[in-house]
Amino acid sequence: MSAVSAQGAEVDKVKTGQVVVSATRVETELNDVPSSVSVVTQAEIERQPGSTVADLLKDIPGVQVLDQSVAGVKRVTIRGESPSRVLILVDGQKIGEQKSMDGSMILMDLNDVERVEVIKGPASVLHGSEAIGGVVNIITKKGGKKAIQLSAAETFDGSANALTEYLSAYGGVDGWSYRVSGSYTDAGNRYAPGGPIDDSGYLSRNFSAYVDKVLGKAKVGLRAESFWSKEQVPAATSAGTLVELNLPAWTRDKVSGFVELKDLGEHLNKLAFNAYFQTTYKDFFNYVDPPGPVATSLWTKNWQDSKGVSLQSDWTLGSSHYVIAGVEAMLEDLKARDHKIVLPAATNTTYTNKAHQNTYAAFIQDQWSVSPDWTLTLGLRETIVQSELDSTQDPGLRPEKSSGSRPVGSVGLVYSGFKDWRLRAQAAQGYRFPNLQQLYIGTVHGSTRPTYPNANLKAETSNSYELGARYGDGAWTMDAATFYSKAENYITTVALTSTTSKFDNVSGATTYGGEFSLEYLFDAWNLTPYAVATYLRRHFDTNTYGTSQTGDPSLFGRYGLRWFHDIDKTTRFTTDAYSRQASTAKEFSSGTFYRYNNWQTYNLALGLDWGAESKYRLSLNLNNLSNEKYTEANSALVSPGFHAVVRLGADF
């Protein structure tokens, strides 16, 4: 298990079972991080493969995964905060979404993932806007140790008769390191108890190439990646209105590079420069047929170009201060084109809107070893955002500007004076600036009711507090945290008339709860019982009402029993029998009540690794053995019934 502090800066360290993570943008052992962090390792990805990257996170305390009608591309919530308040990073660089109702999708294939780090709670000090709920940092696979190596995998997911093929060539020689990878997924309709869900299939393909070179104290690298998907969306009918959606293309193309210099002087440990250019494209079709003779077809094409640069310096000041300081800039340009046809008259209108949002930030963090047992971490960030609707062909819109700035801070404390224990506390602020859709463009997707923009929106803010403890003695492993958060100026939609809405700051949220994970290794039997649980309570306060029915289950988690047996020196058999469950979730929103019933599934994961250095890996996952029919909270699709997932992988 491992982590990175910047793109290309791999850390392959395992110290007595402790994971090294990059939650503080400094290579730090997990036990010494003041915030709540979870890591999904490469071994875990191979042992229980999912259909998407988001599926890898569904059993992390505090995390929920939503499909929102799109089976092939999912979103993530952390501690109840919606996907728009969760920052998605790939190698520390943002996947932005300026024209979306609810945050960024994870547009990449899981076979290209080395590991995933999840920071729970506000991380705006180090990672910027959108990190009110937390951060998902996806670390991609890099090079190898031999001149030429190959990796191949075939995965079959019976929940949708989905087949994924993956092939990668990688290696390293004379200071060079490289990897070239490709994958393709073809998934049919999802099978749920009662039969398949029509129009829920998807196609995707992923390509990536990476190269780096070590030059003395310097390391330079380049990466290119391309993801394409075609998503079907099941039709829905509400109050007599038929809504049909389709995503013929959703793509992400990116080129990035880095330069890293180490050991530059007595005090300057490292200097890292990162830059990237990324384009996302979404082709979206929306057909709405309400009662009566009039129907509407809307075809939307969105192009978003994102350019980002960052410079970070790491300093050792005296014997007790490790300081990082850096600057970042991100320039996002959006072109959104809507083509609207009103039937039966076949009235055609086409509007193109162009807008941009530029974000500039400076940050500093001091990791201060106050004494051998106490470590204090102080952080501060200043963010400046400038945005503008540059041009519009929509007669209902006009060019406008909006800007804002906000300092945010964090304080973390870790105590290590008790053997095998780490006690931690943290207070942190969060910040999220409204996106271009909310400020200037608006939307009509999935509804007959247009939602108008609001250039006067305020930024969302939060103050959060957390207490936690970690314990590990080689047999027992425990991580527990309790948290409280108060957020203000939530952006949502409010009704203007019976047929129109607009974006506005209307609510805040109070969130509190706890996260707990515990396992014990019976070393003589290679047996490990474990449990993971989350308790979550939220309360929304709007201008007109308050509610604790926010759509979140109050309890959810997983418990199970793992066992392994070494057949010989090169062959290991593993099993994991486990249950997943969630309590009932209720939601009251815009005068409508929703209910998601409690559910529980039983599952069995089997694995076999054989060959020198586990060259060959076979996994068989039997999911939802009781064929339970359920829908996870805030999801639109019924979850899969009983199905098997089989993966065969090999390294050469």
Side-chain angles (χ1 to χ4, degrees):
M1 295 184 286
S2 56
V4 300
S5 57
Q7 180 179 341
E10 288 192 287
V11 185
D12 294 318
K13 301 178 182 177
V14 179
K15 299 181 179 179
T16 62
Q18 297 171 323
V19 185
V20 182
V21 300
S22 61
T24 57
R25 295 182 76 137
V26 179
E27 298 165 10
T28 307
E29 290 185 7
L30 177 59
N31 275 350
D32 297 325
V33 174
S35 55
S36 290
V37 180
S38 295
V39 180
V40 181
T41 67
Q42 180 63 32
E44 292 168 326
I45 295 172
E46 293 174 349
R47 190 164 55 238
Q48 293 191 28
S51 58
T52 69
V53 174
D55 287 321
L56 302 174
L57 314 179
K58 60 187 178 184
D59 291 319
I60 290 177
V63 174
Q64 298 176 75
V65 176
L66 316 179
D67 59 51
Q68 295 180 314
S69 299
V70 185
V73 187
K74 302 179 181 180
R75 290 183 169 101
V76 174
T77 75
I78 298 179
R79 292 181 175 174
E81 298 290 1
S82 72
S84 63
R85 302 176 182 99
V86 174
L87 183 62
I88 306 298
L89 306 175
V90 176
D91 292 322
Q93 297 168 339
K94 177 181 175 181
I95 298 181
E97 179 60 80
Q98 287 290 340
K99 196 171 187 294
S100 167
M101 289 294 287
D102 205 8
S104 300
M105 296 288 199
I106 302 177
L107 301 175
M108 67 180 303
D109 180 67
L110 62 84
N111 286 289
D112 217 18
V113 177
E114 176 67 26
R115 58 195 174 275
V116 185
E117 302 172 8
V118 180
I119 307 169
K120 292 166 284 185
S124 294
V125 168
L126 291 180
H127 297 288
S129 181
E130 297 177 27
I132 284 181
V135 175
V136 176
N137 190 14
I138 302 162
I139 313 301
T140 60
K141 294 178 179 177
K142 305 299 191 298
K145 298 180 180 179
K146 301 177 183 178
I148 300 177
Q149 297 173 257
L150 295 174
S151 180
E154 193 91 5
T155 304
F156 174 78
D157 185 346
S159 68
N161 284 336
L163 187 65
T164 299
E165 299 165 317
Y166 168 75
L167 181 64
S168 178
Y170 61 103
V173 61
D174 295 333
W176 289 93
S177 179
Y178 71 91
R179 181 181 288 267
V180 180
S181 303
S183 63
Y184 181 78
T185 297
D186 185 348
N189 290 330
R190 174 181 289 185
Y191 285 89
I197 301 174
D198 293 336
D199 299 322
S200 58
Y202 59 93
L203 301 172
S204 69
R205 61 174 179 260
N206 190 85
F207 172 80
S208 64
Y210 171 85
V211 63
D212 69 45
K213 172 67 172 176
V214 176
L215 300 168
K217 296 181 179 181
K219 185 177 184 179
V220 297
L222 294 171
R223 179 177 171 85
E225 51 193 292
S226 178
F227 176 86
W228 170 91
S229 69
K230 177 181 180 181
E231 308 287 337
Q232 293 180 299
V233 183
T237 301
S238 176
T241 297
L242 173 67
V243 179
E244 294 181 348
L245 308 175
N246 202 2
L247 285 157
W250 203 341
T251 68
R252 183 177 71 92
D253 298 288
K254 176 182 173 184
V255 177
S256 59
F258 69 90
V259 178
E260 190 173 276
L261 305 172
K262 292 186 176 182
D263 303 323
L264 298 178
E266 180 181 356
H267 300 292
L268 182 56
N269 300 323
K270 185 170 65 175
L271 194 64
F273 174 78
N274 283 262
Y276 68 96
F277 176 78
Q278 179 174 263
T279 296
T280 56
Y281 169 70
K282 181 164 56 176
D283 192 353
F284 187 96
F285 176 75
N286 183 41
Y287 174 77
V288 179
D289 187 3
V294 178
T296 303
S297 293
L298 180 66
W299 202 290
T300 297
K301 298 178 184 289
N302 297 330
W303 295 265
Q304 181 175 319
D305 292 336
S306 302
K307 298 176 282 291
V309 295
S310 68
L311 178 65
Q312 177 178 317
S313 58
D314 292 21
W315 302 80
T316 299
L317 303 179
S319 60
S320 58
H321 293 272
Y322 195 97
V323 177
I324 64 170
V327 292
E328 295 177 336
M330 186 172 184
L331 313 179
E332 298 173 281
D333 295 288
L334 174 69
K335 182 171 78 170
R337 179 176 297 158
D338 291 339
H339 179 67
K340 184 177 182 181
I341 303 174
V342 179
L343 303 173
T347 303
N348 284 266
T349 54
T350 300
Y351 301 134
T352 299
N353 302 301
K354 296 181 180 180
H356 74 270
Q357 184 163 290
N358 298 339
T359 304
Y360 310 94
F363 60 88
I364 186 168
Q365 177 183 270
D366 181 9
Q367 203 171 61
W368 177 17
S369 298
V370 180
S371 72
D373 295 333
W374 293 93
T375 301
L376 180 65
T377 302
L378 305 171
L380 183 66
R381 183 186 190 95
E382 176 70 25
T383 301
I384 299 172
V385 183
Q386 300 170 345
S387 69
E388 182 176 0
L389 178 60
D390 301 302
S391 64
T392 179
Q393 296 174 334
D394 188 335
L397 304 177
R398 68 180 188 275
E400 294 184 88
K401 296 181 180 181
S402 181
S403 62
S405 63
R406 177 85 177 187
V408 292
S410 66
V411 179
L413 188 64
V414 176
Y415 177 71
S416 58
F418 301 130
K419 182 181 179 181
D420 300 324
W421 284 89
R422 295 292 190 277
L423 306 180
R424 66 184 190 273
Q426 185 178 50
Q429 295 176 308
Y431 172 74
R432 175 182 175 266
F433 195 81
N435 64 29
L436 295 173
Q437 173 176 272
Q438 295 167 336
L439 287 167
Y440 307 121
I441 299 172
T443 183
V444 294
H445 288 164
S447 173
T448 57
R449 169 185 287 187
T451 301
Y452 295 117
N454 182 355
N456 296 315
L457 289 172
K458 300 176 183 177
E460 299 177 337
T461 62
S462 71
N463 292 293
S464 297
Y465 310 91
E466 178 178 321
L467 294 173
R470 299 183 178 100
Y471 178 81
D473 64 2
W476 288 99
T477 302
M478 185 275 293
D479 194 340
T482 181
F483 55 87
Y484 174 87
S485 176
K486 181 70 174 179
E488 297 181 348
N489 294 325
Y490 264 24
I491 298 171
T492 188
T493 59
V494 298
L496 293 175
T497 68
S498 60
T499 58
T500 61
S501 302
K502 76 168 184 176
F503 291 106
D504 206 350
N505 299 103
V506 299
S507 62
T510 301
T511 305
Y512 62 91
E515 297 159 353
F516 180 76
S517 62
L518 178 69
E519 65 178 55
Y520 180 78
L521 172 62
F522 291 95
D523 192 48
W525 300 317
N526 301 329
L527 194 66
T528 305
Y530 66 92
V532 175
T534 301
Y535 173 70
L536 179 66
R537 299 294 294 173
R538 310 195 79 208
H539 184 85
F540 287 166
D541 294 302
T542 73
N543 296 338
T544 57
Y545 69 93
T547 181
S548 295
Q549 297 176 343
T550 61
D552 299 290
S554 58
L555 286 170
F556 56 94
R558 167 175 170 165
Y559 63 86
L561 185 65
R562 292 194 301 266
W563 176 74
F564 72 87
H565 174 64
D566 291 327
I567 299 173
D568 56 39
K569 292 182 179 180
T570 62
T571 307
R572 171 170 288 188
F573 175 70
T574 62
T575 66
D576 187 355
Y578 63 96
S579 174
R580 302 181 63 241
Q581 57 279 311
S583 62
T584 298
K586 300 177 182 179
E587 182 178 8
F588 182 76
S589 177
S590 301
T592 303
F593 178 78
Y594 303 91
R595 178 187 175 95
Y596 303 92
N597 290 329
N598 62 299
W599 56 268
Q600 183 169 17
T601 64
Y602 301 95
N603 314 272
L604 179 63
L606 306 173
L608 185 67
D609 296 355
W610 72 97
E613 299 180 355
S614 300
K615 284 187 176 181
Y616 306 98
R617 299 169 301 279
L618 175 65
S619 65
L620 170 63
N621 293 265
L622 303 175
N623 299 324
N624 197 359
L625 291 167
S626 60
N627 204 35
E628 173 90 357
K629 184 176 182 179
Y630 68 101
T631 301
E632 298 194 50
N634 295 302
S635 293
L637 297 181
V638 177
S639 297
F642 168 67
H643 66 281
V645 180
V646 184
R647 185 181 192 274
L648 177 63
D651 292 323
F652 306 97

